Amino acid sequence: MKRTTIYLDPELEIHLKLEARRQKKPMAEVIREALRKSLPPRPRSKYAGAFDSGHTDGAERFEEILGELGFGDEENS
């Protein structure tokens, strides 16, 4: 998590403290929950997952994949 500073009107600060006490949570958690509820969802790129090969073993198969793409070991080609 990243630490940040916010400025509150005295009345809002009192309201926040009372709500945090009522929920038995830290004020920071009450603020985070309120922000999550009030902000729209973060948009996903329309390209997310568009190039998914379906393979989950790319790290183990990197030499084979590079060879298929023409980037294999030149000595053995």
Side-chain angles (χ1 to χ4, degrees), residues 41-70:
R42 188 171 158 204
R44 281 188 62 173
S45 167
K46 65 180 182 178
Y47 300 109
F51 303 103
D52 186 6
S53 69
H55 296 286
T56 59
D57 59 347
E60 292 84 14
R61 298 179 45 235
F62 77 94
E63 289 180 344
E64 176 188 342
I65 294 168
L66 288 174
E68 291 171 2
L69 296 172

Side-chain angles (χ1 to χ4, degrees), residues 6-52:
I6 60 170
Y7 295 91
L8 302 173
D9 296 325
E11 186 176 317
L12 184 57
E13 180 187 17
I14 291 169
H15 190 118
L16 175 60
K17 285 181 179 181
L18 290 171
E19 184 61 22
R21 181 176 287 171
R22 185 187 72 76
Q23 292 185 28
K24 297 180 180 164
K25 295 179 181 179
M27 289 192 312
E29 183 60 28
V30 174
I31 292 169
R32 284 190 293 269
E33 288 175 359
L35 286 171
R36 284 187 198 106
K37 288 178 186 176
S38 67
L39 294 174
R42 188 171 158 204
R44 281 188 62 173
S45 167
K46 65 180 182 178
Y47 300 109
F51 303 103
D52 186 6

